[in-house]
């Protein structure tokens, strides 16, 4: 089967990356994971990816003089791996408009809120502090506006009395792992169609 070659970018735990790798191990999944890239050498998810035989690459942003130089190295690696799609999965670097333009319509991100609510960090703390009754997660196309691109898929969970940010985060994370593979499948199918 013809699959869309996908890079997953991480900075830490990598549980969403693992969910994507698991989904992509199915014969009929339209994306294959071409590589996993981290900007941090200590990202826990790297070992998992390596154990699955996926090429891993650390590109440490601190080793570069500027954001642009870091992104040039990242872009060069991705192109060298014939990557067609990018899934950001807890990747904690803000990307420039220039980098994003090079992957227009081919880069997605998972965010732990019901966008457009709670862009940025500490989403669960803020939802609880506001007395929100519903929380959730969103997969969106990455555009130059941080957490502001078109939403592809969302899932809701209830906020329950007594929830701490960690408890709520765990409830949302389960849904992240469910919807992110679905959204990647859609993106991959579109890319394959465009190729034909
Ligand atoms: C997830 O909550 C994701 O929504 C956000 O960062 C977290 C990454 O977790 N963008 P993990 O590394 O995928 O476990």
């Amino acid at each position: 089967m013809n699959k869309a070659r996908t890079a997953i970018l991480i900075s830490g735990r990598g549980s969403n990356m693992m969910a994507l790798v698991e989904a992509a191990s199915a014969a009929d999944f339209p994306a294959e994971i071409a590589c996993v890239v981290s900007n941090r050498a200590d990202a826990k998810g790297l070992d998992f990816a390596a154990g699955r035989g996926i090429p891993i690459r650390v590109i440490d942003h601190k080793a570069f003089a500027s954001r642009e130089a870091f992104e040039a190295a990242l872009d060069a690696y991705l192109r060298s791996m014939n990557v067609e799609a990018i899934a950001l999965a807890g990747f904690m670097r803000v990307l420039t408009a220039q980098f994003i333009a090079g992957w227009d319509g081919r880069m997605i991100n998972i965010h732990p809120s019901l966008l457009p609510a709670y862009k940025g960090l500490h989403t669960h703390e803020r939802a609880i502090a506001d007395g929100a009754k519903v929380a959730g997660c969103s997969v969106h196309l990455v555009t130059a506006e941080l957490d502001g691109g078109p939403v592809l898929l969302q899932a809701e969970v209830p906020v329950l009395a007594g929830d701490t940010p960690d408890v709520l985060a765990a409830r949302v994370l389960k849904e992240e792992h469910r919807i992110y593979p679905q959204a990647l499948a859609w993106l991959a199918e579109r890319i394959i169609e465009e190729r034909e």
Side-chain angles (χ1 to χ4, degrees), residues 16 19-20 22-24 29-31 108 110 139 152-155 175-190:
N16 277 289
L20 296 178
E22 293 295 354
F29 194 79
I108 53 178
I110 180 109
V139 181
L152 300 179
L153 198 55
Q154 292 184 311
E175 294 301 302
E176 295 183 33
H177 297 163
R178 189 174 64 76
I179 68 169
Y180 208 6
Q182 175 66 62
L184 176 59
W186 287 346
L187 174 65
E189 275 159 15
R190 204 201 72 216

Side-chain angles (χ1 to χ4, degrees), residues 13 51 70-71 78 80 88-89 93 96 151-152 181 183 192 196:
R13 179 178 59 182
F70 163 68
E71 289 181 350
L78 297 172
S80 77
L88 304 179
R93 300 302 298 167
T96 65
V151 170
L152 300 179
I192 294 165
E196 282 158 6

Side-chain angles (χ1 to χ4, degrees), residues 12-17 89-92 109-112 173 176-177:
R13 179 178 59 182
S15 71
N16 277 289
M17 176 271 294
F91 183 66
M92 300 303 285
N109 181 45
I110 180 109
H111 183 76
L173 194 64
E176 295 183 33
H177 297 163

Side-chain angles (χ1 to χ4, degrees), residues 100-168:
I100 292 167
W103 295 94
D104 188 28
R106 288 168 171 251
M107 178 158 45
I108 53 178
N109 181 45
I110 180 109
H111 183 76
S113 77
L114 294 171
L115 291 171
Y118 305 117
K119 296 175 179 176
L121 299 174
H122 310 299
T123 55
H124 305 304
E125 284 89 332
R126 288 151 64 205
I128 289 170
D130 287 349
K133 296 283 176 254
V134 177
C137 50
S138 309
V139 181
H140 64 93
L141 281 170
V142 177
T143 64
E145 189 196 340
L146 191 66
D147 300 327
V151 170
L152 300 179
L153 198 55
Q154 292 184 311
E156 291 185 1
V157 303
V159 182
L160 302 177
D163 270 356
T164 62
D166 283 353
V167 167
L168 179 57

Side-chain angles (χ1 to χ4, degrees), residues 34-107:
C35 55
V36 171
V37 181
S38 173
N39 64 308
R40 298 180 55 116
D42 61 355
K44 294 225 162 58
L46 287 171
D47 288 348
F48 171 88
R52 292 302 179 97
I54 296 167
I56 59 169
R57 174 64 67 100
V58 175
I59 304 179
D60 181 353
H61 61 279
K62 294 197 288 299
F64 296 87
S66 66
R67 197 175 284 277
E68 287 73 17
F70 163 68
E71 289 181 350
L74 176 60
D75 200 72
Y77 176 67
L78 297 172
R79 307 275 174 202
S80 77
M81 296 299 282
N82 297 317
V83 165
E84 303 171 277
I86 300 176
L88 304 179
F91 183 66
M92 300 303 285
R93 300 302 298 167
V94 172
L95 296 165
T96 65
Q98 193 196 351
F99 180 90
I100 292 167
W103 295 94
D104 188 28
R106 288 168 171 251
M107 178 158 45

